[in-house]
Amino acid sequence: MKILVVDDSRIMRNIVKNSLLSDKKANHEFVEADNGVDAFNIIEKENIDILLVDWNMPHLNGLDLVKELRSLPKHAKLPIIMITSEAAKYNVIEAVKAGVNDYMIKPIKDDKLLEKIDQVLESVK
C-alpha cells in the first residue's frame, strides 16, 4: 500500500511512519510531503492508496488540499485521514464537510492509526 504522509513537521511524519511500521504484517510504501502544494503534485503523478494529512501547513493547508482533491472527480474517492492538533468539534465537522474520511487528534497511538486506516479502506471498497 502506498501511503502519502503530509505534515510540515518531519518529526511528525516520522512518528506516523513508525506507527505504521509497527504493523509487521503490512508492506507499506511511504511518500512524504511537507505542504499541501507538494502533496497535490505527488497525488497527480503517483497512485496513492491513502492520504494522511495534517491541517496546519504552509502554502496550502490540509483542509484546502482536501477541498481541492474532492473537487476533482479522479480524486473524489481517495481515502483521506486528517491527523491534526485541531481538536475542536467544529474543526472535525469542517474537515468532514470538506471530505475527509476520518479524523485523528494528535498525539496518535499506533493501534488507533492502524485501526482507522483499516476502517477507512474498508469503507471505500
Side-chain angles (χ1 to χ4, degrees), residues 96-114:
V96 170
K97 284 182 178 177
V100 300
N101 297 87
D102 215 325
Y103 194 96
M104 294 186 73
I105 297 167
K106 297 174 184 173
I108 58 171
K109 293 183 178 178
D110 298 353
D111 58 334
K112 294 294 182 191
L113 178 58
L114 294 168

Side-chain angles (χ1 to χ4, degrees), residues 17 23 31 46 50 59 69 71 85 93 95 103 112 122:
K17 290 189 312 185
D23 181 6
V31 183
E46 299 189 32
I50 189 165
H59 310 301
L69 291 169
S71 73
S85 56
I93 293 169
Y103 194 96
K112 294 294 182 191
E122 187 65 33

Side-chain angles (χ1 to χ4, degrees), residues 5-10 12-13 33-35 52-54 56-57 83 106:
V5 181
V6 186
D7 196 303
D8 59 332
S9 166
R10 183 175 51 83
M12 192 63 211
R13 292 193 309 270
D34 63 2
N35 65 73
L52 307 178
V53 61
D54 184 23
N56 296 306
M57 298 182 293
I83 302 172
K106 297 174 184 173

Side-chain angles (χ1 to χ4, degrees), residues 67-99:
K67 290 176 182 175
E68 183 71 24
L69 291 169
R70 293 306 191 217
S71 73
L72 302 171
K74 66 181 177 181
H75 301 306
K77 294 188 177 185
L78 174 67
I80 301 173
I81 298 174
M82 183 163 279
I83 302 172
T84 180
S85 56
E86 299 293 338
K89 187 174 181 177
Y90 63 86
N91 291 125
V92 177
I93 293 169
E94 187 174 3
V96 170
K97 284 182 178 177

